[in-house]
Amino acid sequence: MKQLLLVFVGGGFGSVLRYVIGKYLNSAENGIPYGTFAANILGSLLIGIILGLAAKNDALSQNQTLLLATGFCGGFTTFSTFAYENHVFLKSGDFMSFAVYTIASFVIGFLAVFAGIYFVK
């Protein structure tokens, strides 16, 4: 039960922070979802750091990892919003934005995880 509560609390904080970032960075005028992109990339970097620390000499406990990686990063990052935003690009015929956003999100997201792990080594 304690582990569920840790994930719940971490996820709540992550979701609220993602909402705030999206509110200030997503642009209805140009339709570019900078907030979602920033949250996903920053979340990828954070999960790399957190899981890198967890793997490094057990620097984080299982409960800390659940709170931060599963809870906070899980609530902070969002694949569903990313998928929806790509749907909007495709529906509007904006194939260039779709391609750039999708490729950049995957490539930079993976690099951010690897960078986070590298930073804690």
Side-chain angles (χ1 to χ4, degrees):
M1 188 64 171
K2 178 182 178 182
Q3 293 173 331
L4 291 175
L5 183 60
L6 290 169
V7 172
F8 175 76
V9 169
F13 280 112
S15 295
V16 168
L17 184 57
R18 175 174 32 95
Y19 169 77
V20 170
I21 289 174
K23 183 176 180 180
Y24 289 104
L25 294 181
N26 284 348
S27 173
E29 294 167 5
N30 64 17
I32 299 175
Y34 292 116
T36 305
F37 182 77
N40 286 337
I41 300 307
L42 183 56
S44 295
L45 177 64
L46 287 173
I47 205 164
I49 291 169
I50 292 163
L51 295 179
L53 284 172
K56 183 180 180 181
N57 303 322
D58 295 320
L60 294 176
S61 71
Q62 181 183 12
N63 285 340
Q64 290 170 320
T65 303
L66 282 172
L67 173 73
L68 298 171
T70 306
F72 181 80
C73 289
F76 185 58
T77 59
T78 174
F79 188 80
S80 57
T81 302
F82 166 76
Y84 174 75
E85 290 162 347
N86 276 306
H87 165 77
V88 171
F89 284 140
L90 290 174
K91 188 175 178 183
S92 69
D94 191 353
F95 301 111
M96 182 59 76
S97 293
F98 166 77
V100 170
Y101 183 49
T102 301
I103 292 168
S105 293
F106 281 114
V107 170
I108 297 171
F110 280 114
L111 291 174
V113 170
F114 297 146
I117 293 169
Y118 177 79
F119 290 151
V120 298
K121 282 190 175 186

